[in-house]
Amino acid sequence: DIQMTQSPSSLSASVGDRVTITCRTSHNINYYLNWYQQKPGKAPKVLIFAASSLESGVPSRFSGSASGTDFTLTISSLQPEDFATYYCQQTYITPYTFGQGTKLEIK
Amino acid sequence: QVQLVQSGAEVKKPGASVKLSCKTSGYTSTSHLIHWVRQAPGQGLEWMGMINPGGGSTTYPQRLQGRVTMTRDTSTSTVYMELSSLRSDDTAVYYCARENVLRIGLSFDYWGQGTLVTVSS
């Protein structure tokens, strides 16, 4: 199975901050990497697909990038509604696996 | 609009089975694979497998082989996930999710609201 190492596991930040979350995969997965946002009691919502493509309707302050087996989700200027948990996911090969999650909290 | 509507919460005893449903609407149900993902309380997301509603083919992770079965009813655009030999660590919220096939990569673009399954004696 492809292992996903997501960091940090938690992060405290303020509104307006720039935030970066990283996901490292154990094998090359090309661009088959997605980022999801999950709020308490709700289903995950896709933000970024194929490593760097912005899902329709998602604000442009969210962006994704890739370098080899390292993937990054960046939020350029945090808004109050962005405080949530974020997960990366590889869909290169089954079993599709998720990162452990990053809980983004208000400082 | 695309919707995935899941069945209600379940409480089961250890060793029992549970069968959850996911009714899809707003698109051609046979054109998109459906995946199941679960989340134990306070934990992360775990992929449980997928079904092609068109032909009925399935793929499961090895760790769940023999315990999970996914089926579909094309007449009602409903997908089912049955998990047997339930244990306490199967307590989780179970989600169905649609695979987007119309763009690069492979992502889950629509999700059900989730079904809480509690396994307790």
Side-chain angles (χ1 to χ4, degrees):
Chain A
D1 298 1
I2 292 178
Q3 306 305 313
M4 312 288 286
T5 304
Q6 186 175 340
S7 61
S9 57
S10 64
L11 178 57
S12 293
S14 301
V15 172
D17 284 354
R18 179 183 180 90
V19 165
T20 297
I21 299 170
T22 298
C23 191
R24 175 169 290 174
T25 61
S26 60
H27 297 77
N28 176 38
I29 61 167
N30 290 328
Y31 53 80
Y32 286 85
L33 191 286
N34 309 307
W35 290 98
Y36 297 86
Q37 176 193 67
Q38 187 180 32
K39 296 184 177 179
K42 299 295 186 183
K45 169 189 170 184
V46 63
L47 302 174
I48 301 289
F49 63 93
S52 60
S53 296
L54 189 67
E55 177 73 12
S56 175
V58 173
S60 59
R61 62 180 179 273
F62 291 92
S63 64
S65 64
S67 176
T69 58
D70 290 338
F71 299 84
T72 299
L73 172 69
T74 299
I75 310 172
S76 60
S77 178
L78 273 175
Q79 298 302 301
E81 60 269 29
D82 300 337
F83 292 94
T85 301
Y86 294 84
Y87 294 93
C88 58
Q89 177 204 32
Q90 68 82 17
T91 52
Y92 179 70
I93 192 169
T94 60
Y96 300 147
T97 42
F98 292 87
Q100 306 94 314
T102 295
K103 187 172 183 180
L104 182 51
E105 298 174 308
I106 301 174
K107 183 183 288 184
Chain B
Q1 71 282 22
V2 174
Q3 284 192 304
L4 284 70
V5 179
Q6 298 183 230
S7 48
E10 302 265 9
V11 179
K12 295 292 183 181
K13 294 193 182 301
S17 297
V18 68
K19 188 172 185 177
L20 309 181
S21 67
C22 173
K23 183 173 175 58
T24 66
S25 62
Y27 70 99
T28 302
S29 64
T30 53
S31 298
H32 294 258
L33 272 64
I34 295 294
H35 299 255
W36 289 85
V37 175
R38 70 178 176 179
Q39 186 171 38
Q43 302 301 309
L45 303 168
E46 178 187 8
W47 182 77
M48 297 185 68
M50 61 187 178
I51 182 168
N52 181 342
S57 61
T58 55
T59 300
Y60 309 130
Q62 190 168 10
R63 67 187 178 282
L64 291 176
Q65 286 277 0
R67 284 215 300 145
V68 66
T69 304
M70 296 177 188
T71 57
R72 93 291 191 211
D73 181 344
T74 55
S75 68
T76 60
S77 300
T78 302
V79 169
Y80 300 91
M81 190 283 295
E82 184 169 21
L83 188 62
S84 62
S85 302
L86 289 169
R87 310 186 292 248
S88 58
D89 62 357
D90 291 317
T91 294
V93 175
Y94 290 74
Y95 295 101
C96 59
R98 190 186 83 157
E99 176 181 313
N100 189 305
V101 298
L102 302 177
R103 60 193 187 189
I104 61 170
L106 192 169
S107 58
F108 303 165
D109 61 352
Y110 286 92
W111 295 64
Q113 81 276 21
T115 297
L116 174 63
V117 175
T118 302
V119 182
S120 174
S121 55

